[in-house]
Amino acid sequence: MFTGIVTAVGNIASVTPTAGGVRIAVAAGDLNLSDGQIGESIAVDGVCLTAVEISRVGFSADVSAETLRCTAGFTVGARGNLERALCLGDRLGGHLVSGHVDGVGALVSARPAGDNRVLMFEAPPEVARYIAVKGSIAINGVSLTVNEVKQNQFSVNIIPHTLTATNLGVLAAGARVNLEADTVARYVERLNTFGAQS
């Protein structure tokens, strides 16, 4: 479980094919891995991955074919938002993020709003149904508040700190992003569906 508060931006150093998918090596930038352990969960652009090799400067993780299918994937040289798993007692500054990506969206447009930037994204229908104004959404692992919703499109306002502390500030129109809807919305839908079947 994560909070959606990115603590470092790293780089994908290598992507090596394996029998079941790929193994990625991540140069972890400023992410503190001094007490890192093999087997711990680290989110890379909102994708919960298990560290199979770890050092003070980076880690490696195996990515299954299924994860590659339902996420934006990993490209050598790409910048990735990093967050270590939440510990009991940590501050929950964003919202509860599982690291299980619901779908891939795309940046439609970006416009300045003072020193902020408003980003408009398009979400696939299976994710868009869970997106609500003032609700939470994780984009590339970043916890954000939804400002506006129009059918399958929604906008978020990005403050200067988030623009520089994550990879959202360098996205170009058409960029593919990992989306995770608020878990509460999925449970509400399940409860409504289950009640209708009773």
Side-chain angles (χ1 to χ4, degrees):
M1 193 64 72
F2 305 91
T3 68
I5 303 299
V6 170
T7 52
V9 176
N11 288 285
I12 308 302
S14 67
V15 178
T16 306
T18 64
V22 298
R23 175 168 290 192
I24 64 169
V26 180
D30 292 332
L31 188 69
N32 182 1
L33 294 172
S34 60
D35 62 343
Q37 298 180 2
I38 291 174
E40 76 169 86
S41 296
I42 302 175
V44 181
D45 269 352
V47 183
C48 178
L49 298 175
T50 301
V52 296
E53 295 175 355
I54 198 161
S55 71
R56 289 182 178 271
V57 297
F59 64 95
S60 295
D62 291 327
V63 184
S64 71
E66 172 61 15
T67 298
L68 293 172
R69 184 191 65 77
C70 63
T71 66
F74 302 95
T75 305
V76 174
R79 300 178 70 202
N81 297 323
L82 305 177
E83 181 187 356
R84 292 179 71 183
L86 178 66
C87 293
L88 288 175
D90 283 353
R91 287 186 175 90
L92 183 59
H95 71 284
L96 289 176
V97 177
S98 69
H100 303 156
V101 172
D102 291 311
V104 176
L107 179 63
V108 175
S109 64
R111 63 176 175 81
D115 58 357
N116 296 347
R117 188 173 298 165
V118 175
L119 303 182
M120 179 73 76
F121 293 92
E122 182 158 5
E126 63 272 17
V127 180
R129 64 191 297 170
Y130 299 120
I131 300 173
V133 173
K134 303 301 180 187
S136 296
I137 189 161
I139 302 174
N140 278 356
V142 182
S143 173
L144 296 164
T145 301
V146 176
N147 286 353
E148 182 183 20
V149 177
K150 295 180 179 179
Q151 282 115 25
N152 286 2
Q153 296 187 353
F154 67 96
S155 68
V156 291
N157 186 82
I158 311 295
I159 63 172
H161 171 78
T162 305
L163 288 171
T164 58
T166 71
N167 64 10
L168 298 183
V170 299
L171 295 179
R176 290 162 40 90
V177 294
N178 295 320
L179 301 176
E180 182 185 329
D182 190 353
T183 302
V184 173
R186 292 197 295 263
Y187 282 119
V188 168
E189 180 187 53
R190 175 59 180 153
L191 286 168
N192 285 336
T193 303
F194 187 82
Q197 294 172 348
S198 299

